[in-house]
Amino acid sequence: MAGAAPDPTPTLPGERYPERRGSARLPRPRPRPLTRACGSARGMLEVVVRTSSRRALRRLGQEVTQLAAWVAVITLIPGLPSFQVAFSGFVQAGLSGRLCVEHVRWLPSPWLLLAPLLSPTVPQVTSPPCCLCPEGVHRFQWIRNLVPEFGVCSSHVRVLSSPAEFFELMKGQIKVAKRRVVMASLYLGTGPLEQELVDCLESTLEKSLQAKFPSDLKVSILLDFTRGSRGRKNSRTMLLPLLQRFPEQVRVSLFHTPNLRGLLRLLIPERFNETIGLQHIKVYLFDNNVILSGANLSDSYFTNRQDRYVFLQDCPEIADFFTELVDAVGDVSLQLQGDDTVQVVEGMVHPYKGDRAAYCRAANKRVMDVINSARARQQVLHAQTFHSDSLLTQEDAAAAGDRRPAPDTWIYPLIQMKPFEIQIDEIVTETLLTEAERGAKVYLTTGYFNLTQAYMDLVLGTRAEYQILLASPEVNGFFGAKGVAGAIPAAYVHIERQFYGEVCSLGQQERVRLQEYWRRGWTFHAKGLWLYLAGSSLPCLTLIGSPNFGYRSVHRDLEAQIAIVTESRALQQQLHQGYIDFCGFGVRRLISRQFHLYACMLGLRPPPTLPGGPYSA
């Protein structure tokens, strides 16, 4: 019934016990367990012993002693079980440095930068599988049992292709905004292009005050506390002039993860504290127009760092939802003041000084209230969106005075906030991978290849064809960086090599293909998923937003993306072209020879021969 309120505990098709969703697992084919990125400690030591000198082994012994001391400190910190689990990977990360990176001197804190890449996977918490309807795009209707469903016309959806287009569009949208500007990002850079963006905001706010009929323009900016506070000149100092000049119109919220607290917060230095958890959502909203992306507000993302972007034009319901979502996260964040101090919203638990459990419960309630209320509204406004008999045709709607055409595209916001026990994106992504049929194609892109164990198992154990596009070491954002950060591309190559070895051992080289993106003078940060149904040359579904499908995206950070489901061939062609454009820049299929060459290029020891030999395709 159109006016009926939604079930308090929504069920997925085929789900008998929704109340057990928190403890259920997706039954899936279980291939041979994939070796973790850094392998076992025993395995690493065997390789090190075989390939190192006596002097190197003595140095390794000293480093292990220092690592053990750090472990002893961390295990004494109460109330941090999740970090203690992740920190066990810290030990392996330190050991793997001897295997992966020669000539890197041990420094206790820098290894924390690699810990999120190499930490072991905790048990996955997912939903039972869905029995998807076999009829084209209608098979994804089950997603609306979890999140609001927004039906739109495909002509309101535009895929952007370049950083410059993204930057110019944002500036243009800021200049014409009348009611609201909402921007959520990891951080705001400090260069001239970022200042140009701030100047646009200042100019628009000034015009709103000088207009004959002053508008009620509000600007809300959500950033991460640790990343936004890094250095003397940072995101906070960039925004202080706006706060000081327009205190009634500008709000700057800085999210601080509840997992960084107490002794841990005092011990971990700046920059490395960002590995514990971040605000990673990327949403840019201007009145009723929304840009969803994985790009941050920094100069490289405006010039030569390739990402994905989708522009949703004149979509008030979607704009309202993301405004409420950013407001909800803002309410549980620290509020930047004009004197560069921060305060908690009145009545809210402090994120790192207050009780962690109470804070997480309050944050969960605040965010889930937004999701559930939007889902209830959309069920009332868009009942039976998927073209049931009761849906008006375009002509009938026009005759009734409704000029909006019948929707041919559906938008589903997918939220992942594991610190608050919100795992919607994880549930949907795993279900999509699980239910991908034989003959279907799944294209994945990520700038940081560190899939969770559950995602890896699904790629290796399901029937669809997979094409995974990842960054070559040269276009990794950390390539050539000083210190331990320069070892990060090597860590990703090691993870990719492990995964490729598993693909080869299972004889799935033709079903699961790895490709790399390479473009001179550029870096690669695009992430997303395209799903092609069996027999189709165009995708009917894509995921676009902030998640990288890795450990941090699933377990540590706050993430948001949208699932776009469309039956419009024009929009499907746009989505397909977005992937083809990536492939136009030196994409090569990864083979074991390339991993061998990367090992030499990045200073790694030559790896053990992969299945098929080091020089086979």
Side-chain angles (χ1 to χ4, degrees):
M1 187 178 298
D7 261 349
T9 307
T11 60
L12 302 178
E15 184 177 16
R16 296 180 61 188
Y17 305 108
E19 67 276 7
R20 299 183 188 176
R21 186 178 299 148
S23 59
R25 291 177 58 87
L26 276 167
R28 60 175 71 92
R30 297 289 296 183
R32 183 162 59 87
L34 183 68
T35 306
R36 289 303 302 164
C38 50
S40 66
R42 177 181 177 182
M44 285 189 296
L45 287 173
E46 288 175 353
V47 175
V48 172
V49 169
R50 288 200 305 268
T51 58
S52 300
S53 65
R54 291 184 179 180
R55 182 179 179 183
L57 289 174
R58 284 196 299 270
R59 189 162 61 248
L60 176 66
Q62 295 171 355
E63 294 172 358
V64 170
T65 302
Q66 294 181 53
L67 280 165
W70 274 84
V71 171
V73 171
I74 294 300
T75 54
L76 291 174
I77 302 175
L80 288 172
S82 62
F83 180 76
Q84 291 165 7
V85 169
F87 197 77
S88 64
F90 171 43
V91 179
Q92 292 190 0
L95 293 175
S96 67
R98 279 288 157 257
L99 176 62
C100 292
V101 185
E102 293 183 313
H103 317 304
V104 176
R105 183 172 296 178
W106 163 252
L107 295 173
S109 61
W111 283 110
L112 288 170
L113 192 62
L114 293 181
L117 302 180
L118 304 173
S119 54
T121 303
V122 300
Q124 301 292 311
V125 180
T126 60
S127 73
C130 301
C131 301
L132 301 183
C133 169
E135 297 299 326
V137 298
H138 306 285
R139 67 179 58 201
F140 304 110
Q141 187 174 353
W142 57 270
I143 304 177
R144 64 178 174 179
N145 291 330
L146 299 171
V147 295
E149 171 192 82
F150 301 99
V152 301
C153 180
S154 58
S155 62
H156 292 204
V157 182
R158 177 157 66 98
V159 177
L160 311 181
S161 59
S162 71
E165 185 181 10
F166 168 60
F167 182 51
E168 294 301 325
L169 178 62
M170 275 203 301
K171 289 195 299 180
Q173 289 292 306
I174 290 172
K175 291 175 182 178
V176 299
K178 303 297 182 186
R179 189 162 60 93
R180 58 187 173 189
V181 173
V182 179
M183 308 180 85
S185 181
L186 173 61
Y187 68 104
L188 172 70
T190 58
L193 293 182
E194 296 91 322
Q195 186 60 55
E196 192 176 336
L197 207 62
V198 174
D199 291 343
C200 283
L201 288 169
E202 183 177 13
S203 175
T204 302
L205 286 164
E206 182 66 37
K207 289 178 183 177
S208 73
L209 294 179
Q210 295 178 352
K212 185 175 181 180
F213 301 102
S215 70
D216 57 349
L217 176 67
K218 300 292 184 183
V219 174
S220 177
I221 299 174
L222 171 66
L223 305 173
D224 182 73
F225 178 90
T226 53
R227 181 63 182 88
S229 303
R230 184 203 294 180
R232 182 170 297 178
K233 185 178 182 182
N234 52 42
S235 305
R236 294 166 62 164
T237 59
M238 290 287 289
L239 294 170
L240 279 177
L242 290 183
L243 267 175
Q244 293 165 351
R245 187 173 180 189
F246 308 99
E248 301 301 318
Q249 292 176 272
V250 177
R251 178 191 191 189
V252 178
S253 304
L254 302 170
F255 173 80
H256 191 295
T257 177
N259 294 330
L260 182 63
R261 55 175 52 231
L263 183 58
L264 184 65
R265 191 172 188 272
L266 297 176
L267 286 174
I268 302 183
E270 187 178 88
R271 186 180 185 186
F272 305 106
N273 55 12
E274 297 164 23
T275 64
I276 307 304
L278 295 168
Q279 192 302 112
H280 200 242
I281 297 169
K282 296 20 174 330
V283 176
Y284 310 108
L285 190 155
F286 319 93
D287 290 340
N288 290 333
N289 302 325
V290 185
I291 300 175
L292 266 295
S293 179
N296 291 302
L297 297 174
S298 183
D299 56 357
S300 62
Y301 293 92
F302 304 152
T303 53
N304 63 346
R305 188 156 172 76
Q306 184 63 61
D307 216 302
R308 295 182 69 205
Y309 334 83
V310 64
F311 183 41
L312 308 177
Q313 300 172 268
D314 192 23
C315 298
E317 292 92 354
I318 299 175
D320 289 345
F321 172 82
F322 279 107
T323 298
E324 293 173 10
L325 178 68
V326 172
D327 283 347
V329 178
D331 286 347
V332 301
S333 301
L334 300 171
Q335 307 301 304
L336 183 63
Q337 306 298 306
D339 58 357
D340 200 20
T341 60
V342 292
Q343 295 181 1
V344 179
V345 172
E346 186 177 354
M348 186 59 205
V349 182
H350 198 284
Y352 64 85
K353 294 180 180 178
D355 180 74
R356 182 184 180 279
Y359 171 81
C360 290
R361 282 195 303 270
N364 174 285
K365 183 179 186 306
R366 184 70 180 84
V367 174
M368 288 306 300
D369 283 348
V370 171
I371 295 172
N372 290 330
S373 62
R375 193 169 69 90
R377 289 197 305 268
Q378 293 308 114
Q379 284 188 345
V380 172
L381 293 174
H382 302 291
Q384 304 180 24
T385 303
F386 279 82
H387 294 275
S388 67
D389 292 338
S390 63
L391 186 67
L392 292 175
T393 66
Q394 184 168 346
E395 292 78 9
D396 292 338
D402 187 352
R403 296 183 179 180
R404 291 185 302 176
D408 58 3
T409 301
W410 296 270
I411 310 292
Y412 302 94
L414 308 179
I415 312 303
Q416 182 76 11
M417 299 179 180
K418 191 67 170 283
F420 305 153
E421 298 300 324
I422 299 172
Q423 299 165 250
I424 297 171
D425 182 66
E426 181 184 3
I427 291 171
V428 172
T429 302
E430 288 198 4
T431 305
L432 290 173
L433 297 180
T434 300
E435 297 296 330
E437 60 192 336
R438 186 182 301 276
K441 292 179 292 185
V442 177
Y443 293 171
L444 269 172
T445 64
T446 177
Y448 307 109
F449 185 79
N450 184 32
L451 301 183
T452 66
Q453 188 70 47
Y455 291 165
M456 286 184 177
D457 288 350
L458 285 169
V459 170
L460 293 172
T462 52
R463 299 166 295 177
E465 297 178 16
Y466 283 85
Q467 190 164 294
I468 302 174
L469 178 63
L470 42 88
S472 65
E474 303 95 322
V475 300
N476 186 296
F478 293 97
F479 187 75
K482 296 179 180 179
V484 73
I488 290 178
Y492 283 116
V493 168
H494 188 59
I495 295 170
E496 294 156 14
R497 189 173 59 196
Q498 289 278 338
F499 179 72
Y500 184 77
E502 189 71 13
V503 170
C504 293
S505 69
L506 295 172
Q508 298 190 22
Q509 301 95 312
E510 296 305 314
R511 190 182 68 83
V512 181
R513 297 179 178 231
L514 273 66
Q515 294 184 314
E516 63 175 7
Y517 177 97
W518 182 90
R519 187 178 181 184
R520 187 180 300 278
W522 284 61
T523 56
F524 187 68
H525 193 249
K527 69 271 296 196
L529 178 151
W530 293 254
L531 177 59
Y532 298 69
L533 297 179
S536 175
S537 61
L538 296 174
C540 65
L541 178 146
T542 192
L543 302 181
I544 180 169
S546 64
N548 284 298
F549 307 107
Y551 177 86
R552 288 185 57 167
S553 291
V554 172
H555 295 286
R556 296 190 177 197
D557 299 341
L558 306 191
E559 306 279 9
Q561 65 179 341
I562 57 173
I564 302 176
V565 178
T566 184
E567 57 187 16
S568 163
R569 288 192 64 83
L571 180 53
Q572 289 176 357
Q573 183 61 50
Q574 274 196 73
L575 299 174
H576 176 69
Q577 191 61 45
Y579 186 83
I580 296 302
D581 288 346
F582 293 155
C583 296
F585 292 104
V587 169
R588 297 170 290 186
R589 181 177 178 184
L590 283 177
I591 56 176
S592 52
R593 174 181 172 84
Q594 283 173 264
F595 285 123
H596 184 89
L597 295 176
Y598 286 158
C600 299
M601 178 182 71
L602 295 170
L604 312 183
R605 293 188 183 278
T609 300
L610 290 169
Y615 300 105
S616 64

